[in-house]
Amino acid sequence: MGESVRDKSPQSGMAGTATSAVAHSLERTGDYLQSEGLSGIADDLTNVVRRNPIPALLAAIGVGFLIAQATSRRS
């Protein structure tokens, strides 16, 4: 997918730089997913939460709030 983005994007200027960075990130993400798999991702996420419990809790509360707002019906 990263290669496809890189091929269809401008090669110079601000847009070229931004799309090149996005393409590189997509390629790295794909490599990470292939090498680690779901169990590796779960282990990494667990380690992040253990190292940063307060920010993880605040992020979870924020995501929960956004989901509640998106799914609630307004009268």
Side-chain angles (χ1 to χ4, degrees), residues 9-65:
S9 68
Q11 300 301 315
S12 61
M14 183 75 73
T17 303
T19 54
S20 178
V22 168
H24 181 70
S25 294
L26 286 171
E27 290 168 348
R28 287 184 48 207
T29 301
D31 292 341
Y32 173 76
L33 289 172
Q34 282 182 337
S35 68
E36 295 295 324
L38 287 178
S39 62
I41 294 169
D43 291 341
D44 288 346
L45 184 58
T46 301
N47 290 332
V48 167
V49 171
R50 284 184 181 154
R51 284 190 310 252
N52 305 293
I54 302 291
L57 179 64
L58 293 174
I61 290 170
V63 168
F65 176 77

